[in-house]
Amino acid sequence: MNKVILIGRLASDPVAKVTLSNNQQSSIIVACDSGFRNVNGQNSTVFIPCIAWGNNANFINKYLKKGNLVSIEGKINRRSYISKTTNQQVTSFDVIVDNVTSLTTKTEQTSINNSNQNTTISTEEALSKAFPETAVTNLEQSEQKVEKPNFDQDEEINWFEENENNDINK
């Protein structure tokens, strides 16, 4: 069975898209507590990219913002593509959303709206947190740069259009 349940906060504002076949899509990144502590004793956070379609996408795009606490139910999806910059195959994972629930109260929402006015991070920064292997890493005190893959939005949208009605578990 392929089922995921996440509870976390949106790391950035949702990114809304409409496919060529007029289907609504929303891309979000959910920041979840990993349940582990790092070497400094701090809780570590995992940034998980999620893709929603149809009514779930409409709900996310209309009502959710960076900082909102959400519950996501969905399926893990694996994608592979050839990087245009390195010409190598890249594999990434995300969650296809089956159900989304806002867990943010009205009082919290007001606070989030006020604090988000000057603290919005870019989608690129949120993606680098969701895909740390494509960002700058520090391994055993030596810095190593890993080039970010070049995402072609048209190819990604076409891939989703071709696969949105297929069974993800295949």
Side-chain angles (χ1 to χ4, degrees), residues 50-73:
C50 301
I51 309 282
W53 293 94
N55 291 335
N56 287 324
N58 289 336
F59 174 80
I60 289 169
N61 294 333
K62 187 172 183 179
Y63 296 109
L64 299 181
K65 294 182 177 183
K66 175 188 171 191
N68 283 137
L69 184 63
V70 294
S71 169
I72 301 285
E73 293 179 46

Side-chain angles (χ1 to χ4, degrees), residues 19-130:
T19 64
L20 298 174
S21 57
N22 208 26
N23 292 322
Q24 297 289 321
Q25 179 198 355
S26 182
S27 299
I28 58 174
I29 297 176
V30 180
C32 300
D33 181 6
S34 71
F36 297 101
R37 296 186 186 273
N38 64 17
V39 293
N40 298 327
Q42 299 171 329
N43 286 334
S44 100
T45 303
V46 178
F47 295 87
I48 303 168
C50 301
I51 309 282
W53 293 94
N55 291 335
N56 287 324
N58 289 336
F59 174 80
I60 289 169
N61 294 333
K62 187 172 183 179
Y63 296 109
L64 299 181
K65 294 182 177 183
K66 175 188 171 191
N68 283 137
L69 184 63
V70 294
S71 169
I72 301 285
E73 293 179 46
K75 300 175 188 82
I76 294 178
N77 183 45
R78 187 184 99 184
R79 295 187 284 147
S80 295
Y81 59 93
I82 303 296
S83 170
K84 289 183 177 181
T85 56
T86 63
N87 207 25
Q88 293 181 345
Q89 184 170 343
V90 178
T91 301
S92 66
F93 292 88
D94 50 32
V95 173
I96 303 298
V97 176
D98 291 331
N99 187 29
V100 59
T101 305
S102 176
L103 302 176
T104 302
T105 64
K106 286 185 179 186
T107 305
E108 284 179 310
Q109 185 63 44
T110 302
S111 174
I112 288 169
N113 288 344
N114 291 338
S115 68
N116 275 351
Q117 290 176 356
N118 297 318
T119 61
T120 302
I121 65 173
S122 69
T123 301
E124 184 174 301
E125 187 177 347
L127 283 172
S128 71
K129 290 181 180 184

